[in-house]
Short mmCIF file of all heavy atoms in Angstrom, two decimals:
data_model
loop_
_atom_site.label_atom_id
_atom_site.label_comp_id
_atom_site.label_asym_id
_atom_site.label_seq_id
_atom_site.Cartn_x
_atom_site.Cartn_y
_atom_site.Cartn_z
N ASN A 18 -5.64 15.83 16.82
CA ASN A 18 -4.83 16.17 18.00
C ASN A 18 -3.43 15.58 17.92
O ASN A 18 -2.75 15.45 18.95
CB ASN A 18 -5.54 15.68 19.27
CG ASN A 18 -6.80 16.47 19.56
OD1 ASN A 18 -6.76 17.68 19.78
ND2 ASN A 18 -7.95 15.79 19.53
N TYR A 19 -2.99 15.23 16.70
CA TYR A 19 -1.65 14.68 16.56
C TYR A 19 -0.61 15.73 16.97
O TYR A 19 -0.80 16.93 16.73
CB TYR A 19 -1.42 14.23 15.12
CG TYR A 19 -0.13 13.46 14.92
CD1 TYR A 19 0.10 12.27 15.59
CD2 TYR A 19 0.87 13.94 14.08
CE1 TYR A 19 1.28 11.57 15.43
CE2 TYR A 19 2.05 13.24 13.90
CZ TYR A 19 2.25 12.05 14.58
OH TYR A 19 3.43 11.36 14.42
N ARG A 20 0.48 15.28 17.57
CA ARG A 20 1.44 16.19 18.21
C ARG A 20 2.15 17.13 17.24
O ARG A 20 2.64 18.18 17.65
CB ARG A 20 2.46 15.39 19.01
CG ARG A 20 3.19 14.32 18.23
CD ARG A 20 4.01 13.43 19.16
NE ARG A 20 4.60 12.28 18.50
CZ ARG A 20 3.96 11.14 18.30
NH1 ARG A 20 2.71 11.02 18.71
NH2 ARG A 20 4.55 10.13 17.70
N ASP A 21 2.25 16.75 15.97
CA ASP A 21 2.85 17.65 14.97
C ASP A 21 1.71 18.28 14.18
O ASP A 21 1.01 17.60 13.43
CB ASP A 21 3.77 16.86 14.03
CG ASP A 21 4.55 17.75 13.08
OD1 ASP A 21 4.03 18.83 12.71
OD2 ASP A 21 5.68 17.38 12.70
N PRO A 22 1.51 19.58 14.30
CA PRO A 22 0.34 20.23 13.67
C PRO A 22 0.37 20.19 12.15
O PRO A 22 -0.68 20.42 11.52
CB PRO A 22 0.43 21.68 14.19
CG PRO A 22 1.86 21.87 14.57
CD PRO A 22 2.34 20.54 15.06
N ALA A 23 1.51 19.90 11.54
CA ALA A 23 1.59 19.85 10.08
C ALA A 23 1.42 18.43 9.54
O ALA A 23 1.42 18.23 8.32
CB ALA A 23 2.92 20.43 9.61
N LYS A 24 1.29 17.44 10.42
CA LYS A 24 1.20 16.05 9.98
C LYS A 24 -0.06 15.39 10.56
O LYS A 24 -0.58 15.82 11.58
CB LYS A 24 2.45 15.28 10.45
CG LYS A 24 3.75 15.80 9.87
CD LYS A 24 4.94 14.99 10.39
CE LYS A 24 6.27 15.53 9.85
NZ LYS A 24 7.43 14.77 10.34
N PRO A 25 -0.55 14.35 9.88
CA PRO A 25 -0.06 13.79 8.62
C PRO A 25 -0.47 14.63 7.42
O PRO A 25 -1.42 15.41 7.51
CB PRO A 25 -0.75 12.42 8.57
CG PRO A 25 -2.04 12.65 9.29
CD PRO A 25 -1.71 13.61 10.40
N ALA A 26 0.23 14.45 6.31
CA ALA A 26 -0.08 15.20 5.10
C ALA A 26 -1.41 14.76 4.49
O ALA A 26 -2.07 15.53 3.80
CB ALA A 26 1.03 15.05 4.07
N PHE A 27 -1.80 13.51 4.76
CA PHE A 27 -3.02 12.97 4.16
C PHE A 27 -4.21 13.19 5.08
O PHE A 27 -4.16 12.91 6.28
CB PHE A 27 -2.85 11.49 3.84
CG PHE A 27 -1.84 11.25 2.74
CD1 PHE A 27 -0.55 10.83 3.05
CD2 PHE A 27 -2.17 11.50 1.41
CE1 PHE A 27 0.37 10.62 2.04
CE2 PHE A 27 -1.24 11.29 0.41
CZ PHE A 27 0.04 10.86 0.71
N ALA A 28 -5.31 13.66 4.49
CA ALA A 28 -6.54 13.91 5.25
C ALA A 28 -7.24 12.61 5.60
O ALA A 28 -7.87 12.49 6.66
CB ALA A 28 -7.47 14.81 4.45
N THR A 29 -7.15 11.64 4.70
CA THR A 29 -7.82 10.37 4.92
C THR A 29 -6.91 9.23 4.50
O THR A 29 -5.97 9.41 3.72
CB THR A 29 -9.14 10.27 4.13
OG1 THR A 29 -8.87 10.45 2.73
CG2 THR A 29 -10.13 11.33 4.59
N LEU A 30 -7.22 8.05 5.02
CA LEU A 30 -6.46 6.85 4.70
C LEU A 30 -7.44 5.69 4.50
O LEU A 30 -8.35 5.49 5.31
CB LEU A 30 -5.47 6.53 5.82
CG LEU A 30 -4.54 5.32 5.65
CD1 LEU A 30 -3.20 5.58 6.34
CD2 LEU A 30 -5.17 4.04 6.22
N THR A 31 -7.24 4.97 3.42
CA THR A 31 -8.03 3.77 3.15
C THR A 31 -7.10 2.56 3.29
O THR A 31 -6.07 2.50 2.63
CB THR A 31 -8.64 3.79 1.74
OG1 THR A 31 -9.43 4.97 1.59
CG2 THR A 31 -9.50 2.56 1.50
N PHE A 32 -7.49 1.63 4.13
CA PHE A 32 -6.69 0.43 4.38
C PHE A 32 -7.51 -0.77 3.91
O PHE A 32 -8.42 -1.20 4.59
CB PHE A 32 -6.36 0.32 5.87
CG PHE A 32 -5.27 -0.66 6.21
CD1 PHE A 32 -4.07 -0.22 6.74
CD2 PHE A 32 -5.45 -2.01 6.01
CE1 PHE A 32 -3.06 -1.11 7.09
CE2 PHE A 32 -4.45 -2.92 6.34
CZ PHE A 32 -3.26 -2.47 6.87
N LYS A 33 -7.18 -1.28 2.73
CA LYS A 33 -7.93 -2.40 2.16
C LYS A 33 -7.24 -3.71 2.51
O LYS A 33 -6.03 -3.84 2.37
CB LYS A 33 -8.03 -2.26 0.64
CG LYS A 33 -8.86 -3.37 -0.02
CD LYS A 33 -10.33 -3.19 0.29
CE LYS A 33 -11.18 -4.25 -0.44
NZ LYS A 33 -11.10 -5.59 0.20
N GLY A 34 -8.04 -4.70 2.93
CA GLY A 34 -7.51 -6.00 3.23
C GLY A 34 -8.13 -7.07 2.36
O GLY A 34 -9.23 -6.90 1.83
N GLY A 35 -7.40 -8.17 2.20
CA GLY A 35 -7.95 -9.29 1.44
C GLY A 35 -7.35 -9.41 0.05
O GLY A 35 -6.49 -8.64 -0.36
N GLY A 36 -7.85 -10.40 -0.68
CA GLY A 36 -7.31 -10.68 -2.00
C GLY A 36 -6.08 -11.55 -1.90
O GLY A 36 -5.98 -12.43 -1.05
N ASP A 37 -5.10 -11.28 -2.75
CA ASP A 37 -3.86 -12.04 -2.70
C ASP A 37 -2.69 -11.13 -3.03
O ASP A 37 -2.87 -9.97 -3.41
CB ASP A 37 -3.90 -13.24 -3.65
CG ASP A 37 -4.21 -12.86 -5.09
OD1 ASP A 37 -3.70 -11.83 -5.58
OD2 ASP A 37 -4.98 -13.60 -5.74
N ALA A 38 -1.48 -11.66 -2.84
CA ALA A 38 -0.28 -10.84 -3.03
C ALA A 38 -0.14 -10.37 -4.47
O ALA A 38 0.34 -9.25 -4.72
CB ALA A 38 0.96 -11.64 -2.61
N THR A 39 -0.56 -11.18 -5.41
CA THR A 39 -0.47 -10.79 -6.82
C THR A 39 -1.32 -9.57 -7.10
O THR A 39 -0.87 -8.59 -7.72
CB THR A 39 -0.89 -11.96 -7.73
OG1 THR A 39 -0.06 -13.08 -7.47
CG2 THR A 39 -0.79 -11.57 -9.19
N ALA A 40 -2.58 -9.61 -6.67
CA ALA A 40 -3.48 -8.48 -6.89
C ALA A 40 -2.97 -7.22 -6.19
O ALA A 40 -3.07 -6.11 -6.73
CB ALA A 40 -4.88 -8.84 -6.41
N ALA A 41 -2.41 -7.39 -4.99
CA ALA A 41 -1.89 -6.24 -4.24
C ALA A 41 -0.72 -5.60 -4.98
O ALA A 41 -0.65 -4.37 -5.10
CB ALA A 41 -1.47 -6.67 -2.84
N GLY A 42 0.21 -6.43 -5.45
CA GLY A 42 1.35 -5.88 -6.18
C GLY A 42 0.94 -5.16 -7.44
O GLY A 42 1.45 -4.07 -7.76
N ARG A 43 0.01 -5.73 -8.18
CA ARG A 43 -0.47 -5.09 -9.41
C ARG A 43 -1.16 -3.77 -9.12
O ARG A 43 -1.03 -2.81 -9.88
CB ARG A 43 -1.43 -6.04 -10.13
CG ARG A 43 -0.75 -7.20 -10.84
CD ARG A 43 -1.75 -8.16 -11.42
NE ARG A 43 -1.11 -9.23 -12.16
CZ ARG A 43 -1.69 -10.38 -12.49
NH1 ARG A 43 -2.95 -10.60 -12.13
NH2 ARG A 43 -1.02 -11.30 -13.16
N ALA A 44 -1.91 -3.72 -8.01
CA ALA A 44 -2.67 -2.53 -7.67
C ALA A 44 -1.77 -1.33 -7.41
O ALA A 44 -2.19 -0.18 -7.58
CB ALA A 44 -3.55 -2.79 -6.45
N VAL A 45 -0.52 -1.58 -7.03
CA VAL A 45 0.43 -0.48 -6.81
C VAL A 45 1.32 -0.26 -8.03
O VAL A 45 1.45 0.86 -8.53
CB VAL A 45 1.30 -0.76 -5.56
CG1 VAL A 45 2.44 0.27 -5.46
CG2 VAL A 45 0.45 -0.70 -4.30
N MET A 46 1.92 -1.32 -8.54
CA MET A 46 2.97 -1.16 -9.56
C MET A 46 2.46 -1.16 -11.00
O MET A 46 3.14 -0.67 -11.89
CB MET A 46 4.03 -2.24 -9.38
CG MET A 46 4.85 -2.06 -8.10
SD MET A 46 6.25 -3.19 -7.96
CE MET A 46 5.43 -4.69 -7.44
N GLU A 47 1.25 -1.69 -11.24
CA GLU A 47 0.74 -1.74 -12.61
C GLU A 47 -0.43 -0.79 -12.84
O GLU A 47 -0.43 -0.01 -13.78
CB GLU A 47 0.34 -3.17 -12.97
CG GLU A 47 1.52 -4.13 -13.07
CD GLU A 47 1.12 -5.52 -13.54
OE1 GLU A 47 -0.06 -5.71 -13.91
OE2 GLU A 47 1.98 -6.41 -13.52
N THR A 48 -1.43 -0.83 -11.96
CA THR A 48 -2.62 0.00 -12.18
C THR A 48 -2.57 1.33 -11.43
O THR A 48 -3.28 2.26 -11.81
CB THR A 48 -3.89 -0.76 -11.75
OG1 THR A 48 -3.91 -0.90 -10.32
CG2 THR A 48 -3.95 -2.13 -12.41
N GLY A 49 -1.78 1.41 -10.38
CA GLY A 49 -1.70 2.64 -9.60
C GLY A 49 -2.93 2.90 -8.74
O GLY A 49 -3.13 4.01 -8.27
N GLU A 50 -3.73 1.87 -8.51
CA GLU A 50 -4.95 2.03 -7.73
C GLU A 50 -4.67 2.28 -6.26
O GLU A 50 -5.42 2.97 -5.57
CB GLU A 50 -5.81 0.76 -7.89
CG GLU A 50 -7.12 0.80 -7.15
CD GLU A 50 -7.89 -0.52 -7.26
OE1 GLU A 50 -7.39 -1.45 -7.94
OE2 GLU A 50 -8.98 -0.62 -6.66
N PHE A 51 -3.55 1.69 -5.76
CA PHE A 51 -3.17 1.86 -4.36
C PHE A 51 -1.78 2.46 -4.26
O PHE A 51 -0.99 2.41 -5.20
CB PHE A 51 -3.23 0.51 -3.62
CG PHE A 51 -4.62 0.06 -3.27
CD1 PHE A 51 -5.40 -0.60 -4.21
CD2 PHE A 51 -5.16 0.34 -2.03
CE1 PHE A 51 -6.69 -1.01 -3.90
CE2 PHE A 51 -6.45 -0.07 -1.70
CZ PHE A 51 -7.21 -0.74 -2.64
N ASP A 52 -1.48 3.01 -3.07
CA ASP A 52 -0.20 3.68 -2.85
C ASP A 52 0.84 2.78 -2.20
O ASP A 52 2.04 3.00 -2.37
CB ASP A 52 -0.41 4.91 -1.96
CG ASP A 52 -1.21 5.99 -2.65
OD1 ASP A 52 -0.80 6.43 -3.73
OD2 ASP A 52 -2.27 6.37 -2.09
N TYR A 53 0.40 1.78 -1.43
CA TYR A 53 1.36 0.94 -0.71
C TYR A 53 0.82 -0.47 -0.62
O TYR A 53 -0.34 -0.69 -0.24
CB TYR A 53 1.62 1.48 0.70
CG TYR A 53 2.80 0.83 1.40
CD1 TYR A 53 4.09 1.35 1.24
CD2 TYR A 53 2.64 -0.31 2.19
CE1 TYR A 53 5.18 0.76 1.87
CE2 TYR A 53 3.73 -0.90 2.81
CZ TYR A 53 5.00 -0.37 2.65
OH TYR A 53 6.08 -0.96 3.26
N ALA A 54 1.65 -1.44 -0.98
CA ALA A 54 1.29 -2.86 -0.88
C ALA A 54 2.32 -3.57 -0.03
O ALA A 54 3.52 -3.47 -0.27
CB ALA A 54 1.21 -3.50 -2.27
N TRP A 55 1.84 -4.32 0.94
CA TRP A 55 2.68 -4.98 1.94
C TRP A 55 2.93 -6.44 1.60
O TRP A 55 2.08 -7.11 1.02
CB TRP A 55 1.97 -4.86 3.29
CG TRP A 55 2.40 -5.77 4.39
CD1 TRP A 55 3.44 -5.56 5.26
CD2 TRP A 55 1.79 -7.01 4.79
NE1 TRP A 55 3.49 -6.60 6.17
CE2 TRP A 55 2.50 -7.50 5.91
CE3 TRP A 55 0.70 -7.75 4.31
CZ2 TRP A 55 2.16 -8.70 6.55
CZ3 TRP A 55 0.36 -8.93 4.94
CH2 TRP A 55 1.09 -9.40 6.04
N ASN A 56 4.11 -6.94 1.97
CA ASN A 56 4.41 -8.36 1.99
C ASN A 56 4.09 -9.04 0.66
O ASN A 56 3.25 -9.94 0.59
CB ASN A 56 3.63 -9.04 3.12
CG ASN A 56 4.02 -10.49 3.33
OD1 ASN A 56 5.14 -10.90 3.01
ND2 ASN A 56 3.10 -11.28 3.87
N LEU A 57 4.80 -8.63 -0.38
CA LEU A 57 4.56 -9.20 -1.71
C LEU A 57 5.30 -10.52 -1.84
O LEU A 57 6.37 -10.62 -2.44
CB LEU A 57 4.98 -8.19 -2.78
CG LEU A 57 4.18 -6.88 -2.75
CD1 LEU A 57 4.63 -5.96 -3.85
CD2 LEU A 57 2.68 -7.14 -2.82
N GLN A 58 4.69 -11.53 -1.24
CA GLN A 58 5.25 -12.87 -1.21
C GLN A 58 5.02 -13.52 -2.57
O GLN A 58 4.14 -14.36 -2.75
CB GLN A 58 4.61 -13.67 -0.08
CG GLN A 58 5.34 -14.95 0.26
CD GLN A 58 4.70 -15.64 1.45
OE1 GLN A 58 3.79 -15.10 2.08
NE2 GLN A 58 5.16 -16.82 1.77
N LEU A 59 5.84 -13.13 -3.53
CA LEU A 59 5.69 -13.55 -4.93
C LEU A 59 7.03 -13.96 -5.50
O LEU A 59 8.09 -13.54 -5.03
CB LEU A 59 5.11 -12.40 -5.77
CG LEU A 59 3.72 -11.89 -5.36
CD1 LEU A 59 3.42 -10.56 -6.03
CD2 LEU A 59 2.65 -12.92 -5.70
N ALA A 60 6.97 -14.74 -6.55
CA ALA A 60 8.20 -15.17 -7.22
C ALA A 60 8.90 -13.96 -7.84
O ALA A 60 8.26 -12.99 -8.26
CB ALA A 60 7.87 -16.19 -8.30
N PRO A 61 10.24 -13.99 -7.90
CA PRO A 61 11.01 -12.84 -8.39
C PRO A 61 10.62 -12.37 -9.79
O PRO A 61 10.56 -11.16 -10.05
CB PRO A 61 12.45 -13.35 -8.37
CG PRO A 61 12.46 -14.43 -7.35
CD PRO A 61 11.11 -15.08 -7.43
N ASP A 62 10.33 -13.29 -10.71
CA ASP A 62 9.97 -12.88 -12.07
C ASP A 62 8.63 -12.16 -12.09
O ASP A 62 8.41 -11.27 -12.92
CB ASP A 62 9.94 -14.09 -13.01
CG ASP A 62 8.94 -15.15 -12.57
OD1 ASP A 62 8.82 -15.39 -11.36
OD2 ASP A 62 8.27 -15.74 -13.45
N VAL A 63 7.74 -12.50 -11.17
CA VAL A 63 6.45 -11.83 -11.08
C VAL A 63 6.64 -10.38 -10.64
O VAL A 63 6.05 -9.45 -11.20
CB VAL A 63 5.51 -12.58 -10.12
CG1 VAL A 63 4.20 -11.82 -9.94
CG2 VAL A 63 5.24 -13.99 -10.63
N ILE A 64 7.49 -10.18 -9.63
CA ILE A 64 7.79 -8.83 -9.15
C ILE A 64 8.40 -7.99 -10.29
O ILE A 64 8.04 -6.82 -10.49
CB ILE A 64 8.76 -8.86 -7.96
CG1 ILE A 64 8.08 -9.53 -6.75
CG2 ILE A 64 9.23 -7.46 -7.59
CD1 ILE A 64 6.96 -8.74 -6.14
N ALA A 65 9.30 -8.58 -11.06
CA ALA A 65 9.97 -7.87 -12.15
C ALA A 65 8.96 -7.41 -13.19
O ALA A 65 9.02 -6.26 -13.69
CB ALA A 65 11.03 -8.76 -12.79
#
């Protein structure tokens, strides 16, 4: 019943919690397991 009949584009959403910032960053930028990782409180060289 969302007000825009064409949205959202995604049929389902998985919101995983837990682990640590390192694992979250890797899951998006290295393995591609997840689409979005929040609050990557990591050292700059790790992000690079």
